[in-house]
Amino acid sequence: MSLRLSTVILPYRRWHEGGREAWQRAEQLGFHTAYTYDHLSWRSFRDGPWFGAVPTLTAAAAVTDHLRLGTLVTSPNFRHPVTLAKDLISLDDISGGRITLGIGAGGTGFDATALGQEPWTPRERADRLAEFVPLLDRLLTEDAVSYEGDFYSAHEARNIPGCVQRPRLPFAIAATGPRGLRLAARHGQAWVTTGDPKLYENGTPEQSVQAIRGQVEKLADACAAIGRDVAAMDKVLLTGFTPDRTRPLQSLDAFVDFAGRHRELGFTEIVVHWPIPDSDFATDEKVFEQIAMEATAQLK
């Protein structure tokens, strides 16, 4: 598979004060997909503007023509499969079949307690995701679904006419642990990683590549266990959380080198953060646009 370049646009700007223009510019620059985070608030942006993922993607669908759109990632922290399915079917229809759902177990950030609950342990998050994903799969592919589980229920939930994309919109499942990788192998059209978080502070880029190689190998094992060819599965790297941080975006050559090393691991899509001044994602906009327009040609 050829390497695709995508971006993630954080929903921190008012739509009529730069928000709309970012999504339109992403399409003009030739990005394959523009994602956004599906959080109620996030890290250093908590005390500033932050807008909802589904309305933002709906608006983005209305002002773009061919750019794919999606979440990186949605989680069970504040979502329920029944209501989420209805939103996704509507969004897929409005966009003309351009939606990818990035989905993961979530973490212990602000989303984990915003509804008044205690933060779930890693095992509890994995338990919920293991029930959430198969139920969501059914809700997006069947006209009517009834289900009683440990965490989620559906009673004659109707989802007619279903997704524009058949049999449903693609899932990009973020996972690094054994259970999550098995879930990705069974239900994901793509797999997502940010690398090994333990290496972010003190690791090296070389250690990161080795750790990610190990993740890819474990994904291959999970696919083999169910008779699936891992080579046919898209593999997505969300950048900015490895020891490289923003260094790959400092120049076109730096990015081509970074992306090339990860393409050798089997990655089919690299996702870079849209520049945000005075943040962890602050990068030179001219260099960013040069990378968007020229990098993939050098990686063929």
Side-chain angles (χ1 to χ4, degrees):
M1 297 181 184
S2 60
L3 187 68
R4 299 188 294 265
L5 182 58
S6 297
T7 189
V8 57
I9 301 172
L10 300 193
Y12 73 101
R13 288 191 287 193
R14 291 185 181 275
W15 190 248
H16 298 290
E17 296 176 2
R20 174 177 54 195
E21 288 75 13
W23 294 88
Q24 292 175 317
R25 185 59 177 155
E27 182 167 74
Q28 293 167 359
L29 290 171
F31 282 107
H32 177 266
T33 304
Y35 300 96
T36 197
Y37 285 178
D38 188 15
H39 291 300
L40 298 175
S41 59
W42 190 68
R43 296 191 184 182
S44 61
F45 295 87
R46 186 184 189 188
D47 294 323
W50 188 272
F51 296 96
V54 171
T56 295
L57 291 171
T58 304
V63 298
T64 56
D65 296 314
H66 56 265
L67 178 72
R68 286 198 64 83
L69 306 164
T71 58
L72 274 186
V73 295
T74 293
S75 82
N77 265 344
F78 63 94
R79 295 291 186 186
H80 190 286
V82 171
T83 52
L84 178 61
K86 185 64 71 175
D87 284 347
L88 291 171
I89 287 172
S90 304
L91 184 53
D92 199 47
D93 181 70
I94 291 166
S95 68
R98 291 187 281 138
I99 301 301
T100 296
L101 178 72
I103 186 167
T108 58
F110 308 126
D111 296 344
T113 57
L115 300 184
Q117 77 270 33
E118 291 296 317
W120 299 324
T121 66
R123 180 171 181 172
E124 288 172 328
R125 293 198 301 271
D127 288 342
R128 282 167 171 78
L129 187 67
E131 190 173 303
F132 192 105
V133 171
L135 176 55
L136 186 61
D137 192 336
R138 288 187 58 197
L139 289 161
L140 294 175
T141 55
E142 301 176 21
D143 288 348
V145 174
S146 292
Y147 172 84
E148 291 292 335
D150 293 330
F151 307 106
Y152 305 105
S153 299
H155 179 67
E156 296 183 2
R158 297 294 199 273
N159 284 301
I160 301 169
C163 296
V164 172
Q165 301 174 85
R166 294 293 181 175
R168 59 159 168 77
L169 55 80
F171 290 176
I173 298 180
T176 55
R179 294 180 66 192
L181 290 170
R182 289 195 295 270
L183 200 65
R186 186 166 298 279
H187 294 281
Q189 285 62 58
W191 165 69
V192 182
T193 185
T194 58
D196 185 343
K198 296 190 294 292
L199 297 174
Y200 179 72
E201 292 292 341
N202 300 307
T204 66
E206 292 73 22
Q207 289 173 324
S208 177
V209 168
Q210 285 298 109
I212 293 172
R213 178 179 286 109
Q215 293 175 356
V216 174
E217 291 170 352
K218 291 175 182 176
L219 176 67
D221 291 342
C223 286
I226 60 170
R228 183 175 184 183
D229 181 6
V230 71
M233 187 177 187
D234 281 323
K235 301 165 195 68
V236 182
L237 176 65
L238 174 58
T239 65
F241 304 102
T242 66
D244 308 89
R245 305 196 185 190
T246 61
R247 286 191 290 274
L249 296 178
Q250 291 179 357
S251 71
L252 176 61
D253 288 344
F255 181 80
V256 169
D257 176 69
F258 172 87
R261 284 186 281 120
H262 290 84
R263 182 182 62 175
E264 291 175 359
L265 300 179
F267 283 89
T268 57
E269 186 174 345
I270 304 290
V271 184
V272 295
H273 287 83
W274 197 264
I276 302 176
D278 304 316
S279 77
D280 290 341
F281 307 118
T283 55
D284 186 289
E285 291 190 16
K286 290 183 178 179
V287 173
F288 180 84
E289 294 200 353
Q290 182 188 22
I291 290 169
M293 293 184 291
E294 301 179 23
T296 54
Q298 294 194 25
L299 289 162
K300 288 182 178 178

